[in-house]
Amino acid sequence: MNSRSDTTHLLAQKGLKSTRQRNAVLRVLQQADEPLTVDAIFMQLRENQVPVSLATVYRMLDLFGEKGLVTKSVASASRATALYQLAGQHVTHVLRCMRCQTTVPIQPCPLDKLEEHLRLQTDFEIKGHHLEVYGLCPQCR
Ligand SMILES: [Zn+2]
Ligand SMILES: [Zn+2]
C-alpha cells in the first residue's frame, strides 16, 4: 500500500483535511519503530524538506491526540519528555539509559500475553500499551 494514500485515509477517517504537513507527520510516525519526541519528529520533517514550524508540529500532534490518531506518553527516563506514536501501532519497547539516553530494544513484547489476558478478563477492546524500563548503562553506572 502506498503510504501517502494510507495516511490520507487515516486523516479522512477522523474527518481531517489532508495536507502535506499532516501526511508528513503521520508518515514519520508510521516509519518510526519507537515513540518519538516532538523534536525528533521535527528533525525528521526538516530532513524530508517539509516546510513546517515547530509550533505547527505541536499543534498537529495535539489535534491528532484529540482525534485519537496519535497517543502520547511521558518517559520519565528522558526528563519527562512527551513521546508520540500512532494509535494502535505497536512500537518496539526499549530499555533506556537515564543519563546518555542509549536504548536497547526489548523483544519480543512481554505485554502481548497480558493484553490478551486482560481482554478476556474484562472484555475491554484494548487499543495499545506503553512500557518503560530505565536505568544506567554499563558506561554510565
Ligand atoms: Zn548511559
Ligand atoms: Zn508491546
Side-chain angles (χ1 to χ4, degrees), residues 90-93 106 108-112 115 129-131:
H90 191 265
V91 295
T92 305
H93 307 298
I106 303 169
C109 173
L111 295 182
D112 285 353
E115 266 196 8
H129 59 251
H130 299 291
L131 171 67

Side-chain angles (χ1 to χ4, degrees), residues 24-43:
V25 168
L26 290 177
R27 269 201 304 281
V28 167
L29 290 168
Q30 251 174 357
Q31 283 156 11
D33 49 13
E34 60 167 320
L36 298 176
T37 62
V38 174
D39 285 344
I41 295 167
F42 184 61
M43 298 255 288

Side-chain angles (χ1 to χ4, degrees), residues 2 12 27 30 48 59 65 68 70-71 80 87 90 97 100 108 112-113 116-117 132 134 136 139:
N2 167 316
R27 269 201 304 281
Q30 251 174 357
N48 299 346
R59 273 201 304 275
V70 160
T71 60
H90 191 265
C97 175
C100 69
D112 285 353
K113 281 211 173 69
E116 181 61 12
H117 175 74
E132 182 188 24
Y134 50 91
L136 294 172
Q139 274 76 48

Side-chain angles (χ1 to χ4, degrees), residues 70-136:
V70 160
T71 60
K72 179 177 174 180
S73 58
V74 174
S76 33
S78 39
R79 303 174 218 95
T81 305
L83 296 169
Y84 296 87
Q85 70 186 77
L86 272 193
Q89 182 183 24
H90 191 265
V91 295
T92 305
H93 307 298
V94 295
L95 167 60
R96 187 183 304 271
C97 175
M98 299 162 75
R99 199 160 291 162
C100 69
Q101 308 296 322
T102 293
T103 58
V104 178
I106 303 169
Q107 274 168 326
C109 173
L111 295 182
D112 285 353
K113 281 211 173 69
L114 176 67
E115 266 196 8
E116 181 61 12
H117 175 74
L118 286 171
R119 192 180 63 76
L120 292 171
Q121 202 177 39
T122 66
D123 204 29
F124 265 55
E125 184 187 346
I126 309 253
K127 296 288 200 181
H129 59 251
H130 299 291
L131 171 67
E132 182 188 24
V133 187
Y134 50 91
L136 294 172

